[in-house]
Amino acid sequence: DTGVSQDPRHKITKRGQNVTFRCDPISEHNRLYWYRQTLGQGPEFLTYFQNEAQLEKSRLLSDRFSAERPKGSFSTLEIQRTEQGDSAMYLCASNQPGQGWETQYFGPGTRLLVL
Amino acid sequence: DQQVKQNSPSLSVQEGRISILNCDYTNSMFDYFLWYKKYPAEGPTFLISISSIKDKNEDGRFTVFLNKSAKHLSLHIVPSQPGDSAVYFCAASARTSYDKVIFGPGTSLSVIP
């Protein structure tokens, strides 16, 4: 088991462009979470999936953001018409109910810079 | 409206001494509290947790104390080791939504050899 992986690790884009990030959870985990972390802050919850179902979305997830997990395995987070305020670290985590819900395993994150 | 606060952005401790990291929360619905540790270029890793039915939980060198009346918790690391140097996040959640974990801003701990 290689842990949670995220791709790309870094992304620089110009304002107004669309970006997509990918997260591959630990293989047997059916819950997948997305967080955003800005400088000097802790991770902020964005959304989570159980299998392919998106169960909760934060108010932080504006209509420019969309997350999918089509086959209940990997997930993508797309940001449309990026703004400078979207610059942040985007973290993905996964876990398996029954292991202890608190044990969310985080990936290394994708750092986004919007110019 | 920061619900989980860590008022010390950084802390320096001598190797072998005790490190005490503090955390305050405002939401009385929180009943589960966690500490995560984060090294540079890595995601946070779960360290220790405590339920509101307890006031102390210990795991090796790490002990978390909870004072519900003061809405305060602390993480004690004894003895501190250089490898403990990292950013520590306090986090909390409520039984109504355990999957929605609220993180504090973090405290950067430096353990000086």
Side-chain angles (χ1 to χ4, degrees):
Chain A
D1 189 345
T2 57
V4 178
S5 62
Q6 293 186 245
D7 182 70
R9 294 291 305 274
H10 299 89
K11 178 70 177 178
I12 300 174
T13 192
K14 292 182 178 179
R15 190 175 52 188
Q17 297 294 305
N18 298 345
V19 294
T20 300
F21 310 140
R22 175 177 171 128
C23 171
D24 287 88
I26 293 172
S27 57
E28 67 270 23
H29 287 181
N30 64 12
R31 289 195 176 175
L32 186 148
Y33 305 79
W34 283 101
Y35 292 84
R36 182 180 72 181
Q37 184 180 11
T38 53
L39 200 63
Q41 299 299 316
E44 296 173 288
F45 172 85
L46 292 178
T47 188
Y48 90 97
F49 293 84
Q50 177 153 326
N51 299 314
E52 66 275 10
Q54 189 172 14
L55 295 186
E56 186 167 351
K57 291 193 288 186
S58 163
R59 60 179 173 79
L60 294 174
L61 215 65
S62 76
D63 56 6
R64 296 186 299 106
F65 288 70
S66 62
E68 294 182 346
R69 195 182 182 197
K71 297 181 180 179
S73 56
F74 72 91
S75 175
T76 58
L77 178 67
E78 181 183 16
I79 309 175
Q80 296 182 327
R81 306 181 303 281
T82 53
E83 301 173 356
Q84 288 183 325
D86 297 331
S87 297
M89 174 76 82
Y90 290 85
L91 292 161
C92 175
S94 71
N95 72 355
Q96 179 73 7
Q99 286 185 345
W101 64 270
E102 72 276 8
T103 313
Q104 293 185 19
Y105 296 85
F106 281 83
T110 295
R111 185 170 293 282
L112 172 66
L113 178 61
V114 182
L115 301 176
Chain B
D1 61 337
Q2 205 168 52
Q3 299 184 67
V4 179
K5 303 176 185 181
Q6 294 176 260
N7 292 322
S8 297
S10 62
L11 176 68
S12 289
V13 172
Q14 206 73 30
E15 180 179 5
R17 306 294 289 269
I18 184 171
S19 295
I20 300 176
L21 294 90
N22 293 303
C23 176
D24 298 286
Y25 62 96
T26 58
N27 190 340
S28 57
M29 296 297 291
F30 288 150
D31 61 355
Y32 211 97
F33 305 91
L34 314 91
W35 286 92
Y36 278 80
K37 175 179 178 179
K38 184 182 182 305
Y39 292 119
E42 296 181 11
T45 55
F46 169 73
L47 190 59
I48 192 169
S49 64
I50 188 167
S51 164
S52 60
I53 62 173
K54 295 185 176 181
D55 54 18
K56 177 183 174 181
N57 189 25
E58 192 171 352
D59 183 1
R61 296 185 297 112
F62 302 91
T63 303
V64 56
F65 295 92
L66 175 62
N67 182 334
K68 284 176 291 186
S69 60
K71 294 191 176 69
H72 177 84
L73 61 155
S74 60
L75 175 68
H76 292 210
I77 306 173
V78 184
S80 300
Q81 300 173 354
D84 295 329
S85 297
V87 177
Y88 288 79
F89 293 104
C90 174
S93 69
R95 70 174 69 87
T96 53
S97 184
Y98 274 141
D99 290 287
K100 189 173 177 181
V101 179
I102 309 299
F103 285 80
T107 295
S108 178
L109 173 67
S110 296
V111 180
I112 304 161

